Amino acid sequence: MPKHTSSGAPKKARWTTEKKSAAAKKPHRGQGGPKTSRPAPAGTSHVGGREWRAPREDRRDDRPSFDRRDDRGERRSFERRDDRGDRGFQRRDDRGDRGFQRRDDRGDRGFQRRDDRPSFERRDDRGERRSFERRDDRGDRGFQRRDDRPSFERRDDRGERRSFERRDDRGDRGFQRRDDRPSFERRDDRGERRSFERRDDRGDRGFQRRDDRPSFDRRDDRGERRSFERRDDRGDRGFQRRDDRPSFDRRSDRGTDRFVDRAPVSFEDAEVERMDADNWTKATRADISDGPVEVAADNGFAALGLPERLVERLAREGITTPFPIQSATIPDALAGRDVLGRGQTGSGKTLAFGLPLITRLLQAELPRRPRKPHALILTPTRELAMQISDALEPLVHVTGLRHKLVAGGLSYTTQINALNKGVDILIATPGRLNDLLERGAVEMDDIAITVLDEADHMAEMGFMAEITTSLDKIPSDGQRLLFSATLDRGIDTLVEKYLTDPVTHSTNDATASVEGMDHHVLLIDPQHKKVITAEVANREGRTVVFCRTKLGADRIALQLREQGVMAAALHGGLNQGQRNRVLGAFRDGTLPVLVATDVAARGIHVDDVSVVLQVDPPADHKDYLHRSGRTARAGDKGTVVTLALPHQRKTMERQLKDAGLDIAPVRATPGDATLAATGATTPSGVAIAEDDFQRLIAGPKAQRRGPAGSRGPRQGSRGGFRPHHGGRDSRSDSRGDDRRGRRGDRAEGLVSRWGDDDRSGDRPARRGARF
DNA sequence: AAAAAAT
């Protein structure tokens, strides 16, 4: 029915394609139009006036695992108990609260929920309530899973057994889960410890908390000091665990055996690695103890109607003049309108949606409620989610709001705990978000603002089903912001389904982003690819090499190292710890060449990438623009080199045209002048020692024990990776009081350095670029 | 093909 909910645009090409493929995979389910009717009035401020959605049924059914845990209380520490009692009450309140409204609401949501459960009623209800998409989605997912999985080789192996049961009785999952996840318990332990530590910290932070103590909790969520304390605690925790539940330890150890090919063999190693990964947002805490900052009378952000606190915080970093995309979208977004924003790569889209989002939440003064965030920012990759989280952190911080990063590869515990405590802004990747939704750890009832970053990418096949799963749970009267450097028709389905009377802001043409760049398309012979790649990559400054596959990335990185160019691969086949370390090292400057799949194609900001080298041509012109956009950020210069084999020439020419570039491919051979013109030089040819490389990207366990194979001679705690103390380079920190000093010390790991260098005020050239 | 959840 509601096919014409929103403005015009009746094209359904994408939809059809998607439908087709879904139907092909899952023949038993019919097709249906997009559901979600959006009765919502357009363009009004929803946030303030919005009623709280009646949550739903008792959680008990939905989240057996939690209840179970509660029941099991024995092991719980004291803190835990307090915690529990606390939570118990809250929950009950919640429930009671809902009592009345729930009924109204039930038709709406209560049932949906039930669908997730294995119960019978569900079937009855489902037919109607359930959107078709949802079903397709589900079937789809089942299939996709299988197809998709191969790439996650490891998981495949691991999941083998499970996949059986899983698939057949997905609804049953609740039960299996119980058996399956001993590790949660362990994590519970971790959680406990944290609350312990928290206490110690409390005194520490008394000051900042006065307002409504966002900092305390937020920090807690982020585990900021964890890396710090962890060290002291480590042994401790080990013991506790052993005493408490040896059986679980054993089990999980067994579990990690499946990671045969990887360094961490023990559970502890894996866990430490996880924690490390989860740890890296932490270093970016803003320091609010700094004195007030002059906000110039002509501050452009103030003029846009943003609150003083935000304006001041931005000014503190030298950000006083909004970029075009920001000037264009912020007023409309502040007014509560749905926005489609297209701004060139590196043009500050994060702030364009981040600032109005924060502002509106601030104005709305929504009560913070467990598991019910008020805003959601969805991104296609974990790294991007982290980057956004870090970029917004200081702004969220000064407004007393809380945000939380919810993404795969990071600990569930911190995420769930944070959600339970109440979070305003959720920054998420689709998979983990859906996971947490299924677990009942997060609910969308109170989401008032939704942002889709890289929206066109999210609208592509592989993502669509997953994001609609989440988006369908969001009240339809909220505000929605879709952003990307390339917004094409692919997003029509999304726009139609989820946006109401959107305003489109397109600053420049999508191709304007390429202006600061030199583009070279080199026609080469296959046998020269390896050498030419090395020559182009061997230069001053940072280089990002893009290739099509994960194996390709690994191989090319290896080949580069063999030729004397220090390079490391970044792709989704690595665990999060590895991903973080590699990207951290690249941001850091310790790794000059990053060889990445398209995981790094969008949104990732690294300063001073001088060259983007595309060893494999991009899939389409949009990818060309996004990949290229890793260089020449925020007005900087950059070079883009694309290698094309003879048979790829035509494709490349078309892409260049579509991208609006007037570039002709030129022939190139190793050592040739064309190459030199791009800054290429001949590498030493002396292979980089594997040890040196490993040290560069080694995880914390390698620090303690050495690499998996040669774990004999100890390499001191200063293996280059984690200069825990000292080793602080001179970068950054235009403002440094003792507090920052402390933070710097403990945040020195490569991993936890995200926005750090970006954030320093002494790099005017790139000011604001990280946003 | 990649990405996004894997206890």
Side-chain angles (χ1 to χ4, degrees):
Chain A
M1 8 101 34
K3 287 201 176 177
H4 330 292
T5 22
S6 58
S7 57
K11 70 195 51 74
K12 311 237 84 186
R14 264 209 60 80
W15 177 250
T16 311
T17 315
E18 191 172 278
K19 258 338 186 195
K20 235 185 268 169
S21 120
K25 286 176 182 167
K26 177 108 183 170
H28 63 283
R29 190 53 68 209
Q31 61 311 99
K35 54 155 194 203
T36 315
S37 68
R38 291 193 37 123
T44 51
S45 171
H46 303 299
V47 178
R50 214 144 76 56
E51 281 276 23
W52 291 109
R53 270 311 164 109
R56 78 208 36 139
E57 299 289 340
D58 346 358
R59 296 270 125 68
R60 239 175 267 141
D61 297 336
D62 292 336
R63 8 155 83 215
S65 57
F66 285 106
D67 276 315
R68 183 187 11 106
R69 271 187 232 148
D70 282 346
D71 294 341
R72 242 190 276 143
E74 264 131 43
R75 311 207 178 85
R76 294 293 159 68
S77 68
F78 290 111
E79 306 90 294
R80 189 55 181 211
R81 225 157 254 173
D82 294 344
D83 189 10
R84 208 192 326 157
D86 211 14
R87 207 190 290 147
F89 281 124
Q90 283 182 358
R91 231 182 249 161
R92 225 149 272 157
D93 285 349
D94 279 352
R95 252 184 249 153
D97 228 9
R98 286 167 208 146
F100 293 106
Q101 302 165 3
R102 202 203 308 151
R103 239 134 255 180
D104 308 337
D105 213 68
R106 204 181 268 159
D108 218 27
R109 281 144 184 286
F111 285 140
Q112 278 204 357
R113 226 333 146 71
R114 248 173 241 152
D115 279 346
D116 294 338
R117 287 179 273 141
S119 55
F120 292 112
E121 320 88 74
R122 174 177 112 225
R123 293 272 158 90
D124 306 333
D125 304 337
R126 211 205 306 180
E128 330 266 276
R129 302 261 62 95
R130 273 312 181 187
S131 68
F132 288 105
E133 301 91 299
R134 176 63 175 217
R135 286 191 190 190
D136 290 343
D137 180 13
R138 215 188 296 161
D140 213 16
R141 202 194 291 148
F143 281 95
Q144 278 191 1
R145 276 282 156 69
R146 262 164 247 166
D147 299 344
D148 280 342
R149 281 320 159 126
S151 55
F152 292 43
E153 305 84 352
R154 264 176 291 120
R155 282 185 210 149
D156 248 2
D157 300 345
R158 226 201 297 161
E160 225 158 334
R161 268 187 243 132
R162 278 176 220 134
S163 20
F164 288 99
E165 311 125 26
R166 249 310 163 65
R167 227 156 261 147
D168 297 337
D169 29 47
R170 184 167 282 196
D172 268 349
R173 200 185 304 155
F175 289 100
Q176 294 176 4
R177 278 271 165 80
R178 251 164 249 173
D179 302 336
D180 274 347
R181 359 182 128 166
S183 57
F184 265 130
E185 291 230 294
R186 219 174 312 99
R187 287 200 203 129
D188 276 344
D189 269 357
R190 230 203 282 150
E192 285 166 17
R193 310 201 47 64
R194 254 176 244 133
S195 45
F196 216 167
E197 298 155 4
R198 231 182 276 147
R199 230 160 252 182
D200 297 338
D201 285 335
R202 229 170 246 170
D204 217 14
R205 286 186 184 128
F207 288 110
Q208 305 177 2
R209 274 202 292 138
R210 228 179 269 138
D211 269 343
D212 50 352
R213 35 161 131 188
S215 60
F216 166 75
D217 275 318
R218 189 174 30 61
R219 265 194 236 166
D220 188 52
D221 297 347
R222 294 178 306 150
E224 197 167 344
R225 75 208 83 69
R226 218 178 299 137
S227 62
F228 178 62
E229 291 159 359
R230 209 199 306 151
R231 260 144 226 272
D232 305 334
D233 285 342
R234 237 174 234 163
D236 209 12
R237 188 182 302 134
F239 279 110
Q240 266 208 358
R241 216 184 274 148
R242 237 161 267 148
D243 294 346
D244 276 346
R245 43 191 76 143
S247 60
F248 284 117
D249 265 353
R250 225 189 313 122
R251 260 206 244 169
S252 7
D253 277 349
R254 219 195 296 141
T256 51
D257 283 348
R258 302 197 194 101
F259 295 85
V260 277
D261 55 329
R262 311 245 308 285
V265 272
S266 78
F267 172 80
E268 297 240 342
D269 282 350
E271 198 60 13
V272 166
E273 193 159 331
R274 289 172 61 90
M275 293 176 61
D276 192 64
D278 190 32
N279 211 15
W280 74 332
T281 321
K282 315 340 183 233
T284 62
R285 182 178 63 77
D287 190 345
I288 62 168
S289 70
D290 284 355
V293 157
E294 272 311 293
V295 174
D298 63 346
N299 185 297
F301 288 98
L304 289 174
L306 294 168
E308 175 86 26
R309 268 181 285 178
L310 291 181
V311 175
E312 193 228 66
R313 189 61 185 83
L314 290 169
R316 196 178 291 260
E317 317 219 13
I319 303 174
T320 54
T321 309
F323 283 135
I325 184 72
Q326 295 160 359
S327 312
T329 58
I330 288 177
D332 277 326
L334 278 180
R337 299 214 38 191
D338 286 358
V339 173
L340 278 172
R342 183 174 73 176
Q344 57 194 62
T345 53
S347 69
K349 288 184 289 293
T350 304
L351 279 189
F353 62 72
L355 288 170
L357 182 149
I358 292 169
T359 303
R360 293 201 13 103
L361 291 188
L362 192 60
Q363 291 166 348
E365 294 186 338
L366 304 177
R368 196 169 288 145
R369 314 216 306 179
R371 296 181 302 282
K372 304 193 175 194
H374 302 133
L376 172 68
I377 301 173
L378 268 180
T379 78
T381 64
R382 299 168 183 178
E383 281 74 14
L384 185 51
M386 294 179 193
Q387 181 179 294
I388 291 172
S389 174
D390 286 350
L392 297 184
E393 193 274 344
L395 303 168
V396 171
H397 177 77
V398 296
T399 51
L401 296 172
R402 290 186 212 162
H403 74 303
K404 182 63 188 174
L405 171 64
V406 161
L410 308 176
S411 161
Y412 279 89
T413 319
T414 50
Q415 296 175 6
I416 290 173
N417 287 348
L419 286 162
N420 279 334
K421 254 180 291 174
V423 158
D424 298 295
I425 302 168
L426 207 57
I427 298 151
T429 51
R432 177 62 66 90
L433 178 63
N434 284 339
D435 188 350
L436 293 183
L437 278 166
E438 281 179 23
R439 291 165 192 254
V442 62
E443 298 169 27
M444 302 298 221
D445 308 61
D446 290 353
I447 297 284
I449 306 177
T450 310
V451 176
L452 275 189
D453 198 14
E454 305 298 347
D456 60 324
H457 187 43
M458 303 282 264
E460 282 166 20
M461 273 294 296
F463 271 121
M464 193 55 157
E466 212 155 15
I467 64 169
T468 52
T469 300
S470 317
L471 295 179
D472 285 347
K473 294 185 166 68
I474 297 176
S476 56
D477 59 352
Q479 182 181 15
R480 310 203 165 161
L481 311 172
L482 269 58
F483 278 79
S484 183
T486 54
L487 280 180
D488 58 10
R489 299 189 146 182
I491 62 163
D492 284 350
T493 309
L494 282 178
V495 172
E496 217 169 298
K497 265 182 89 173
Y498 300 105
L499 268 62
T500 306
D501 185 27
V503 188
T504 301
H505 286 292
S506 187
T507 62
N508 295 318
D509 195 62
T511 60
S513 54
V514 299
E515 271 170 12
M517 305 171 192
D518 264 344
H519 294 268
H520 304 271
V521 177
L522 307 181
L523 278 175
I524 63 165
D525 289 333
Q527 68 271 25
H528 294 149
K529 198 176 210 177
K530 185 173 134 184
V531 174
I532 291 181
T533 299
E535 288 180 356
V536 175
N538 190 51
R539 62 171 58 241
E540 285 301 307
R542 294 185 176 101
T543 304
V544 181
V545 178
F546 280 109
C547 57
R548 198 176 56 98
T549 67
K550 289 181 272 202
L551 284 175
D554 284 332
R555 190 194 67 233
I556 289 162
L558 181 62
Q559 288 173 350
L560 284 171
R561 292 197 299 274
E562 283 170 354
Q563 296 172 86
V565 181
M566 180 62 99
L570 178 72
H571 55 70
L574 307 175
N575 68 42
Q576 197 56 40
Q578 294 169 317
R579 285 167 70 163
N580 292 353
R581 285 190 295 276
V582 169
L583 190 51
F586 186 62
R587 286 201 144 108
D588 224 45
T590 48
L591 175 71
V593 180
L594 182 71
V595 185
T597 60
D598 280 329
V599 66
R602 285 168 174 258
I604 301 305
H605 174 85
V606 178
D607 284 333
D608 299 328
V609 171
S610 53
V611 172
V612 167
L613 168 60
Q614 309 191 69
V615 169
D616 297 317
D620 58 33
H621 74 279
K622 291 199 300 175
D623 283 345
Y624 184 97
L625 292 172
H626 284 284
R627 285 174 165 190
S628 303
R630 297 319 99 206
T631 185
R633 306 284 292 177
D636 281 357
K637 294 283 182 201
T639 301
V640 181
V641 178
T642 307
L643 305 186
L645 300 177
H647 74 277
Q648 294 166 332
R649 174 178 195 150
K650 275 223 151 71
T651 312
M652 273 315 300
E653 284 171 341
R654 196 194 62 239
Q655 283 189 13
L656 292 168
K657 183 163 166 282
D658 290 345
L661 294 167
D662 187 20
I663 312 283
V666 291
R667 288 213 57 88
T669 52
D672 148 336
T674 319
L675 284 178
T678 71
T681 58
T682 304
S684 72
V686 180
I688 305 257
E690 183 64 14
D691 273 2
D692 292 339
F693 170 65
Q694 289 300 336
R695 206 170 301 129
L696 187 66
I697 61 163
K701 79 280 159 190
Q703 296 288 314
R704 297 199 318 277
R705 289 184 173 175
S710 65
R711 107 177 5 158
R714 198 23 296 111
Q715 56 191 67
S717 60
R718 41 167 301 85
F721 163 60
R722 232 179 195 215
H724 200 49
H725 298 291
R728 199 163 157 70
D729 60 43
S730 56
R731 112 210 109 72
S732 87
D733 288 22
S734 54
R735 52 182 194 281
D737 58 20
D738 56 336
R739 191 200 294 255
R740 275 183 68 86
R742 262 194 285 133
R743 170 186 63 119
D745 257 327
R746 83 176 93 112
E748 198 57 17
L750 295 180
V751 182
S752 32
R753 284 260 291 274
W754 263 109
D756 217 2
D757 45 350
D758 294 335
R759 211 161 300 253
S760 60
D762 56 353
R763 312 183 112 187
R766 288 170 307 281
R767 124 256 180 291
R770 72 199 150 90
F771 296 107

